[in-house]
Amino acid sequence: MIALHALGFTPLVLLGAGLLFLLVALSYAEATSALPETGGAATFVRRSMNDFAGFMTGWALFLDYLIVIALSALFVPHYLGAAFQVDALEHHPWDVVVAICAILAIAGVRLLRRPSLYAVGFAVPVLDLIVQLLLVVCGFIFLFSPDALTRGTSLGTSPTGHSLLFAVPLAMLAYTGLETVANLAEEARRPGVDLPRSLFAAIGTVVTIYVAIAVVAVSAFPGPDTALGHRWLRAPLVGVAEQLRGHVPVWFADTIRFFVGASGALILLTAITTSISGFSRLAYSLGEHGQLPRAFGRLHRRTLVSPQAILAAALITCGIVAATTVTHHDVTFLASVYSFGVLIAFTAAQVAVIKLRITAPDLPRPYRAPLNFRFRGAEIPVPAVVGSVLTFAIWIVALATHPGARYAGPAWLLGGLVVYVSVRLSHGEGLTERVVSPDEQVFEDVPHFRRILVPMKIGIIGEEMAATAIKLASEHGAAVEALHVIEVPLDRPLDAPMDEAEERAAASIAEAKQLGAELGVEVIGTIMRARAIGKAIVEHARETDADLIVLGSSPRWRRQSRFFSPTVDYVLRRAPCEVLIVAFPQRVLDEELAAT
């Protein structure tokens, strides 16, 4: 799309957009480390201004997620068709049918289960990066030509000033991911280190690759009427791979074409998945704070997502994809609408960082954007000031040059305004009133515990849970019920000899009593045999009238769809009292293994 309008200036346009994204990333790194919450720019703006401004920012971001899902789905069949030599996938109506099926399939999987895709989520981008590096190397060896790069290019006439300005907002679509990383801020172990590192490393890598790919692609398809904007609009990397044919052996050209097509389809499917996830996380944040219907702020117990958000994202994007069958400039139109939303979000996020520097100077900031100047006693980051001015200026350019941004963008914001006002009026809340989510509420009545039950477990998690229960008991003047359940297999009688298990149980109870004695806490030890540990814990809690159960959760279950182990899940469902769960990170178990 960019090459069609910017011609030989395409690498420079992508480089300029990449440098702007790097500038914006400085503000995102500071804001996400200071406010490690789900919601991204919508959260920054809500915290620095008010709920209405935060919602409008989030509503603009919804548009971006939907556009990325729709465009990625539209391009999937074209890359698949190139990989497997199926021409029908590259033409209507099958490209639209496959795109809709891809969206529905991914949304369906996410609705039904919480998939473990961590290894795949790492491997697919690495594979894609390797393939693109291969294209860059081969492209510079066989395709690069300074003459071809500048052929038909004359600034002011080809491209015209209008065409060049038209291309600049489109470059915003080349760099997606800032909001995805920001939405994961709540899960970062070290926000001040992990988030900036993720942002800067990703953007630096992508900018380098994109500029290099652009140089190769424009050399392979020079202007003034480049085939990148026509024949290869929906699968440009396949076009570059196809141009290598004739310069390399046939088998090598076929292999590169297959890998480019297959990896392209995989990375686009990953983009659909992460964008649906980002949409649902943002919807959850807005629902939590009364900016969307409350249903969006409730997660499904098993899949840990908002079903309403997943369904909304899938249905709207399927409608967008279906609508592309009746328009001839669907890709450019969607890209321009994307630039409308993302530029609003970026500008608002940087303004939020500036305002937080003024209104909340003492807010802990594990990472601070560099190059600051003092203004009325506050340290203002220069990158945020410059970045906000540039993103706003490009937004104005988008409005002036793109009908999609000029008409569809404001229409989308107007629809959001109607939704927001309706939600707030139905809840009896003010438009700018700050609604606190349940996680942020401060309870004045602190519970007082009399009897704390802690199931004993061999290993570091069991030791830590016993110490936690005893520490709590010392603060509340409570007694501790230390319960060690010996699980007896179904093929053995309950009173079968299990001397080794009995010895371990007695040792763990003795250690708990010794620790309790050091802190002046009464520890009552009980060894019980049972078929199911969870059921035994619940029954013992009822018998002893415990008002708190302390459990530890192993990280291995969080890599699976159920999140908690069957024992923890059973206790959460059936416990007659409050339950405290401590979720241990993997590094704790790694340290234990290293020690042994």
mmCIF file of all heavy atoms in Angstrom, residues 312-327:
data_model
loop_
_atom_site.group_PDB
_atom_site.id
_atom_site.type_symbol
_atom_site.label_atom_id
_atom_site.label_comp_id
_atom_site.label_asym_id
_atom_site.label_seq_id
_atom_site.Cartn_x
_atom_site.Cartn_y
_atom_site.Cartn_z
ATOM 1 N N ALA A 312 -18.117 -10.344 20.476
ATOM 2 C CA ALA A 312 -18.215 -9.039 19.820
ATOM 3 C C ALA A 312 -17.107 -8.863 18.794
ATOM 4 O O ALA A 312 -17.354 -8.434 17.654
ATOM 5 C CB ALA A 312 -18.165 -7.927 20.867
ATOM 6 N N ALA A 313 -15.867 -9.200 19.168
ATOM 7 C CA ALA A 313 -14.742 -9.054 18.242
ATOM 8 C C ALA A 313 -14.931 -9.930 17.008
ATOM 9 O O ALA A 313 -14.691 -9.491 15.871
ATOM 10 C CB ALA A 313 -13.435 -9.405 18.947
ATOM 11 N N ALA A 314 -15.367 -11.182 17.215
ATOM 12 C CA ALA A 314 -15.529 -12.105 16.094
ATOM 13 C C ALA A 314 -16.641 -11.657 15.149
ATOM 14 O O ALA A 314 -16.462 -11.635 13.920
ATOM 15 C CB ALA A 314 -15.815 -13.507 16.615
ATOM 16 N N LEU A 315 -17.777 -11.277 15.700
ATOM 17 C CA LEU A 315 -18.914 -10.915 14.856
ATOM 18 C C LEU A 315 -18.659 -9.620 14.084
ATOM 19 O O LEU A 315 -18.982 -9.516 12.893
ATOM 20 C CB LEU A 315 -20.177 -10.778 15.717
ATOM 21 C CG LEU A 315 -20.675 -12.081 16.352
ATOM 22 C CD1 LEU A 315 -21.883 -11.818 17.237
ATOM 23 C CD2 LEU A 315 -21.024 -13.112 15.283
ATOM 24 N N ILE A 316 -18.076 -8.618 14.750
ATOM 25 C CA ILE A 316 -17.822 -7.351 14.065
ATOM 26 C C ILE A 316 -16.799 -7.534 12.951
ATOM 27 O O ILE A 316 -16.978 -7.023 11.832
ATOM 28 C CB ILE A 316 -17.357 -6.270 15.059
ATOM 29 C CG1 ILE A 316 -18.471 -5.955 16.070
ATOM 30 C CG2 ILE A 316 -16.952 -4.998 14.321
ATOM 31 C CD1 ILE A 316 -18.032 -5.023 17.185
ATOM 32 N N THR A 317 -15.730 -8.267 13.222
ATOM 33 C CA THR A 317 -14.692 -8.441 12.188
ATOM 34 C C THR A 317 -15.193 -9.319 11.045
ATOM 35 O O THR A 317 -14.814 -9.084 9.890
ATOM 36 C CB THR A 317 -13.413 -9.051 12.791
ATOM 37 O OG1 THR A 317 -13.746 -10.199 13.591
ATOM 38 C CG2 THR A 317 -12.687 -8.047 13.635
ATOM 39 N N CYS A 318 -16.029 -10.289 11.342
ATOM 40 C CA CYS A 318 -16.617 -11.075 10.251
ATOM 41 C C CYS A 318 -17.471 -10.176 9.364
ATOM 42 O O CYS A 318 -17.472 -10.311 8.133
ATOM 43 C CB CYS A 318 -17.464 -12.218 10.812
ATOM 44 S SG CYS A 318 -16.494 -13.605 11.461
ATOM 45 N N GLY A 319 -18.188 -9.235 9.975
ATOM 46 C CA GLY A 319 -18.962 -8.274 9.193
ATOM 47 C C GLY A 319 -18.078 -7.383 8.350
ATOM 48 O O GLY A 319 -18.396 -7.091 7.181
ATOM 49 N N ILE A 320 -16.941 -6.951 8.914
ATOM 50 C CA ILE A 320 -16.005 -6.110 8.157
ATOM 51 C C ILE A 320 -15.451 -6.879 6.964
ATOM 52 O O ILE A 320 -15.379 -6.362 5.836
ATOM 53 C CB ILE A 320 -14.864 -5.623 9.064
ATOM 54 C CG1 ILE A 320 -15.399 -4.663 10.139
ATOM 55 C CG2 ILE A 320 -13.774 -4.937 8.242
ATOM 56 C CD1 ILE A 320 -14.372 -4.264 11.175
ATOM 57 N N VAL A 321 -15.039 -8.133 7.204
ATOM 58 C CA VAL A 321 -14.481 -8.954 6.127
ATOM 59 C C VAL A 321 -15.522 -9.176 5.034
ATOM 60 O O VAL A 321 -15.226 -9.072 3.831
ATOM 61 C CB VAL A 321 -13.972 -10.299 6.686
ATOM 62 C CG1 VAL A 321 -13.615 -11.252 5.548
ATOM 63 C CG2 VAL A 321 -12.756 -10.073 7.569
ATOM 64 N N ALA A 322 -16.753 -9.483 5.430
ATOM 65 C CA ALA A 322 -17.819 -9.702 4.444
ATOM 66 C C ALA A 322 -18.082 -8.442 3.636
ATOM 67 O O ALA A 322 -18.360 -8.498 2.426
ATOM 68 C CB ALA A 322 -19.095 -10.170 5.143
ATOM 69 N N ALA A 323 -17.981 -7.282 4.276
ATOM 70 C CA ALA A 323 -18.248 -6.014 3.577
ATOM 71 C C ALA A 323 -17.196 -5.705 2.522
ATOM 72 O O ALA A 323 -17.460 -4.925 1.589
ATOM 73 C CB ALA A 323 -18.316 -4.873 4.592
ATOM 74 N N THR A 324 -16.000 -6.298 2.639
ATOM 75 C CA THR A 324 -14.947 -6.015 1.659
ATOM 76 C C THR A 324 -15.268 -6.580 0.284
ATOM 77 O O THR A 324 -14.617 -6.227 -0.703
ATOM 78 C CB THR A 324 -13.596 -6.592 2.121
ATOM 79 O OG1 THR A 324 -13.698 -8.025 2.243
ATOM 80 C CG2 THR A 324 -13.186 -5.998 3.453
ATOM 81 N N THR A 325 -16.253 -7.459 0.204
ATOM 82 C CA THR A 325 -16.601 -8.043 -1.094
ATOM 83 C C THR A 325 -17.270 -7.035 -2.020
ATOM 84 O O THR A 325 -17.362 -7.269 -3.232
ATOM 85 C CB THR A 325 -17.549 -9.242 -0.899
ATOM 86 O OG1 THR A 325 -18.732 -8.810 -0.214
ATOM 87 C CG2 THR A 325 -16.871 -10.338 -0.102
ATOM 88 N N VAL A 326 -17.748 -5.921 -1.465
ATOM 89 C CA VAL A 326 -18.482 -4.952 -2.289
ATOM 90 C C VAL A 326 -17.699 -3.660 -2.506
ATOM 91 O O VAL A 326 -18.236 -2.700 -3.034
ATOM 92 C CB VAL A 326 -19.852 -4.618 -1.643
ATOM 93 C CG1 VAL A 326 -20.718 -5.855 -1.574
ATOM 94 C CG2 VAL A 326 -19.670 -4.019 -0.252
ATOM 95 N N THR A 327 -16.449 -3.616 -2.088
ATOM 96 C CA THR A 327 -15.652 -2.403 -2.279
ATOM 97 C C THR A 327 -14.340 -2.758 -2.956
ATOM 98 O O THR A 327 -13.799 -3.853 -2.782
ATOM 99 C CB THR A 327 -15.361 -1.703 -0.933
ATOM 100 O OG1 THR A 327 -14.551 -0.562 -1.164
ATOM 101 C CG2 THR A 327 -14.662 -2.632 0.033
#
